[in-house]
Amino acid sequence: MTPEPIFPFRHHGRTGAAVRVALVNLGLNIVTLSFWRFWGRTNVRRLLWGGTSVWDDPVEYTGLGGELFKGFLLVLLVVYLPLLGLYGWAQVLIAAEDPRGGLMLAGLYPLTIFLIAVGGFRARRYQLSRTLWRGIRGGQTGSAVGYALRSMAVWVLVPLTLGWALPWGEMMLARYRLGHTTFGDRTFACDAGVKGLYARMAVMWLCGAVYLTLAVGFAVLLEQWGIEEEAGAFYLAMLALGAVFVLVVPWAWYRAAVFTRLAAGTSFDGHRFTAQVRTWPLIRLVLGNALISLFSLGVLRPWAAQRTFRFTCSVMAVDGVPDFAAIHQSADHGPSTGEGLVSVLDGAGEF
Amino acid sequence: MQSDRPGRFNDGRSASSRKVMVRAMATGVEIRGEDGFLIAVWKTDDLVADGELPDGKGVRLRCAAEPDARLAIADAVFVREALSVPPKRFRPVRWGLAAGLILGAGVLIGLYLSLPDLSRLGAAMMPPQTERAWGSQIAAGFERQMRACRSPAGSEALARLTDRLTAGLPPERRAVTVRVLDGKVVNALALPGAEIIVFRGLIDEAGGPDELAGVLAHELTHVAERHPAAALIRGLGVGVIATVITGDASGLVASGLVTVMASAYTRDDEAAADRGALALLTRAGIGKDGFAAFFHRLEGREASGGLLPAWMSTHPDSKARAEAVETATAAAKSLPPSLRDTEWQAIKAICGGV
Ligand SMILES: [Zn+2]
């Protein structure tokens, strides 16, 4: 017998508030030559976290812009500038036709990707340690290096297997992330597998292959018939329209399954989560967010992030109430500076 | 008057939420369990307003002395009663922000003004061998893309002209390599170290040896005053600062800004190079008219609206500079051409002739 699912998550932030924060940040970023971005991102998070409540108590974001700024400066000096110097040196060696230049670049590219992966994991640790509920801190254990090595293995295997390693790879990484997520002195557990994912992966893969074959085939045919510009433009438009149906729908169908499996595989204090993600709402969310980001040139991304929060809160359920009295404050206060690696090497933070 | 209000309390030690009764006192608030047992007393001075519950269901309070504890009270009016002074909100950042903006602007202006001197200092501190190696590396890069032009007579004539001009430089800066590259651009470049590149287009465009001598004298001054190394260091500095400020790791902002700032900074270098060129020409006994004529020639091209010669885009305001050269006091008597006609023809044909 499975207990009745409870929907404890709610997002009650208003769109107007997200748009206002986004526009204020835009203005301040312009006058401060984008120096404001650390504080701006913090304000957006405070809005998104604070607009979310769990069992009627709000989530809080307690990070500070100054922490992000310090992390940025630190990584800039310790990692980014030396890396830039090494890249410059490699370029000089290549210009001088020294074979060591190419060798250096061959080492620098993986190193950069590795550092981005490390940075992503560390950023998550920072964000979780600044996330409070009922005064209790979240957190993340695990090793950033271990996570980065696993990520790189996935990024190498996915293209090598023509995409077939994707379901296995992304579930493995998600298991690592969720299995090292903590709230107070408790750790989440995640045993999400790939069950049911490969069927949807196959459909997505076949649709992609068929689409690619057709697109290339038509292009070759049109080339042989020697058609004019107008027909070419029409062909491109049809191709784009076709992509929405042939690529986006199977992709969303697959992502919905990933989301559902991930939630179902995750538990906290012995209580399992569930997520009722259906394909169409997911398409609406993702396409809507893409259009918002595109037409606002990224300025209104906080609004898009808010829609994601709202969606996630509306679908997440849990099969029971954890024994909160037994969950104690975590002794780990988290890193003192935030996200340096990501904000330098990756730049674009979502929210 | 004592009034108990219902609320929810998190003690910050566990994640449990317990129903409490909150009582406003003169000195703060008392938080009691439903059994009446006293849980906590929060002093008025420590109270921090922590926002409102959604849908106007109440307010939240925190206590500075117990940062992890949380209190939600269903009655908003209660809080106003309870607090003699309005609860502390998050510190307003306005003054800090204004100070930060002024400080930031000050730092930027300071950097802008001091960058030329800093980069000159950097160039001066660079060991000469390093600077030379750097320059010859760049020159070698150019030579891979364009054929280097050499001919016995042409190279000899060019070397004679260069030697006459460098005689006016300090001894340690006299060893200069002048390369002619087979490119159409009307341009000449000074590189770090002691490298000058003259493109065939400029030799084609020049109407006589004195015009070439003027351009060479100008570039030699750049070399002698180490302008190219300073400019490259300056560009590097602008790029790094742009990256630090905007956080753009792709380098797009940096390279754009480097281009814009380069033109803002080069004017001083160019004026200095023109002055130095006049001095070198005078020492070498070469008339300044050729130098001025070259500027007028470029100005003509500018007016005719054709493709701007490259030397102009790196050296703007040719008319004003021609006038500056003409009004400068130099040897009054007319001087013989700097090269014999056969030598000049040899230089013109150095890339194989047309
Ligand atoms: Zn110049």
Side-chain angles (χ1 to χ4, degrees):
Chain A
M1 181 198 122
T2 43
E4 197 67 9
I6 312 165
F7 288 83
F9 301 96
R10 235 155 44 84
H11 190 83
H12 34 74
R14 285 190 303 277
T15 305
V19 170
R20 196 166 57 239
V21 166
L23 293 180
V24 167
N25 281 347
L26 173 69
L28 285 168
N29 273 333
I30 290 172
V31 292
T32 60
L33 301 169
S34 89
F35 244 126
W36 174 254
R37 65 189 182 281
F38 309 102
W39 290 268
R41 208 177 293 160
T42 300
N43 286 350
V44 171
R45 283 183 196 160
R46 205 169 279 156
L47 182 88
L48 292 174
W49 269 237
T52 306
S53 63
V54 189
W55 275 289
D56 284 335
D57 281 318
V59 179
E60 293 168 46
Y61 180 74
T62 58
L64 298 171
E67 293 171 345
L68 293 184
F69 180 56
K70 265 182 258 165
F72 167 78
L73 281 188
L74 200 70
V75 168
L76 191 83
L77 289 176
V78 177
V79 179
Y80 181 71
L81 291 180
L83 206 61
L84 205 67
L86 285 177
Y87 269 105
W89 189 16
Q91 296 291 351
V92 168
L93 285 180
I94 285 173
E97 286 174 348
D98 190 325
R100 279 175 300 175
L103 218 65
M104 246 175 100
L105 270 191
L108 280 174
Y109 284 134
L111 179 67
T112 309
I113 295 172
F114 173 77
L115 286 173
I116 289 173
V118 167
F121 194 74
R122 286 177 56 88
R124 193 170 177 274
R125 178 164 135 83
Y126 169 78
Q127 281 183 29
L128 282 168
S129 73
R130 299 303 189 264
T131 301
L132 268 69
W133 182 71
R134 291 185 176 173
I136 304 296
R137 276 186 298 279
Q140 180 179 268
T141 57
S143 134
V145 171
Y147 182 78
L149 290 175
R150 284 173 173 83
S151 305
M152 287 181 77
V154 171
W155 292 338
V156 168
L157 282 174
V158 167
L160 279 184
T161 57
L162 298 175
W164 287 97
L166 182 69
W168 163 82
E170 69 177 323
M171 288 319 251
M172 190 256 291
L173 292 178
R175 270 200 306 275
Y176 193 89
R177 284 195 306 270
L178 284 165
H180 288 97
T181 301
T182 61
F183 173 67
D185 57 357
R186 298 294 172 88
T187 308
F188 285 71
C190 184
D191 57 8
V194 294
K195 197 180 132 210
L197 284 185
Y198 267 96
R200 298 197 181 198
M201 172 74 202
V203 172
M204 180 170 79
W205 197 90
L206 281 175
C207 284
V210 167
Y211 178 81
L212 205 67
T213 316
L214 284 180
V216 172
F218 270 123
V220 171
L221 275 184
L222 289 175
E223 191 71 35
Q224 283 176 350
W225 292 337
I227 39 81
E228 310 86 73
E229 298 252 316
E230 278 169 41
F234 177 72
Y235 163 75
L236 272 182
M238 291 306 292
L239 210 61
L241 201 67
V244 171
F245 292 101
V246 185
L247 298 180
V248 172
V249 173
W251 173 84
W253 191 52
Y254 167 77
R255 299 267 17 129
V258 169
F259 202 136
T260 307
R261 293 243 36 97
L262 215 51
T266 305
S267 60
F268 181 73
D269 194 32
H271 296 282
R272 263 186 198 276
F273 291 90
T274 50
Q276 293 159 349
V277 184
R278 282 170 299 126
T279 306
W280 280 113
L282 192 62
I283 290 180
R284 235 183 10 246
L285 172 76
V286 172
L287 280 187
N289 283 356
L291 290 176
I292 286 170
S293 294
L294 192 69
F295 283 108
S296 69
L297 299 175
V299 169
L300 293 183
R301 268 198 317 229
W303 178 19
Q306 192 187 44
R307 294 179 77 236
T308 307
F309 267 65
R310 207 175 279 148
F311 178 85
T312 311
C313 287
S314 71
V315 298
M316 291 292 293
V318 61
D319 68 5
V321 185
D323 178 12
F324 287 123
I327 298 165
H328 294 100
Q329 181 66 291
S330 116
D332 183 9
H333 287 257
S336 57
T337 60
E339 294 182 25
L341 269 172
V342 172
S343 67
V344 177
L345 293 168
D346 202 20
E350 184 65 38
F351 37 76
Chain B
M1 189 199 100
Q2 288 185 339
S3 57
D4 288 347
R5 306 286 161 155
R8 287 200 315 281
F9 180 69
N10 314 120
D11 61 10
R13 287 185 287 276
S14 84
S16 63
S17 176
R18 80 189 268 200
K19 284 187 178 157
V20 291
M21 296 306 285
V22 185
R23 179 177 298 177
M25 312 285 287
T27 52
V29 292
E30 266 182 16
I31 302 163
R32 287 175 186 277
E34 287 183 309
D35 49 9
F37 196 78
L38 185 66
I39 299 172
V41 178
W42 287 3
K43 289 197 198 106
T44 309
D45 287 346
D46 288 342
L47 290 180
V48 180
D50 196 21
E52 303 208 348
L53 294 173
D55 312 324
K57 278 186 193 158
V59 294
R60 291 162 51 80
L61 281 180
R62 278 199 276 135
C63 172
E66 287 177 68
D68 289 346
R70 299 289 184 270
L71 177 65
I73 310 165
D75 191 349
V77 181
F78 165 86
V79 178
R80 270 168 234 129
E81 258 175 38
L83 304 168
S84 49
V85 286
K88 283 177 233 162
R89 298 213 37 101
F90 289 114
R91 242 182 315 136
V93 288
R94 284 169 214 291
W95 280 112
L97 186 65
L101 276 178
I102 292 168
L103 191 73
V107 168
L108 280 181
I109 291 170
L111 278 174
Y112 175 79
L113 292 178
S114 61
L115 202 55
D117 288 326
L118 286 178
S119 53
R120 219 165 288 147
L121 196 70
M125 285 185 344
M126 188 183 283
Q129 312 92 287
T130 312
E131 195 188 340
R132 268 164 207 269
W134 189 14
S136 53
Q137 208 140 52
I138 302 175
F142 272 106
E143 277 198 6
R144 267 196 292 281
Q145 287 170 24
M146 281 172 216
R147 188 170 65 90
C149 300
R150 286 185 192 89
S151 76
S155 301
E156 155 96 50
L158 192 60
R160 264 172 49 84
L161 185 59
T162 310
D163 286 347
R164 257 179 86 182
L165 289 166
T166 51
L169 292 179
E172 74 275 10
R173 310 290 311 174
R174 274 182 204 157
V176 176
T177 315
V178 178
R179 299 164 201 251
V180 180
L181 294 185
D182 192 5
K184 274 188 296 197
V185 285
V186 183
N187 206 356
L189 295 173
L191 300 177
E195 295 279 346
I196 289 175
I197 291 179
V198 181
F199 294 97
R200 198 231 323 139
L202 188 134
I203 297 178
D204 289 349
E205 183 80 14
D210 289 7
E211 293 187 23
L212 179 63
V215 170
L216 274 181
H218 173 99
E219 301 301 340
L220 281 169
T221 313
H222 278 318
V223 163
E225 298 190 1
R226 300 182 126 180
H227 289 161
L232 286 172
I233 291 174
R234 215 163 47 207
L236 205 66
V238 170
V240 168
I241 291 168
T243 307
V244 171
I245 291 175
T246 63
D248 168 57
S250 68
L252 280 176
V253 174
S255 61
L257 204 66
V258 168
T259 314
V260 172
M261 297 301 275
S263 59
Y265 282 128
T266 45
R267 264 159 212 276
D268 290 346
D269 286 356
E270 292 315 323
D274 282 350
R275 279 194 305 275
L278 285 176
L280 285 185
L281 289 172
T282 310
R283 286 247 195 124
I286 299 172
K288 60 172 180 152
D289 297 347
F291 195 26
F294 186 73
F295 283 126
H296 280 305
R297 204 179 289 280
L298 295 179
E299 188 199 325
R301 294 262 299 242
E302 192 177 1
S304 72
L307 274 176
L308 286 181
W311 209 67
M312 274 220 15
S313 64
T314 45
H315 298 81
D317 288 335
S318 44
K319 184 168 183 216
R321 295 175 62 200
E323 280 162 6
V325 170
E326 277 162 349
T327 52
T329 46
K333 60 176 193 288
S334 77
L335 293 158
S338 51
L339 288 173
R340 286 194 302 272
D341 194 49
T342 49
E343 288 173 317
W344 175 236
Q345 291 312 325
I347 289 181
K348 280 232 152 199
I350 195 169
C351 285
V354 188

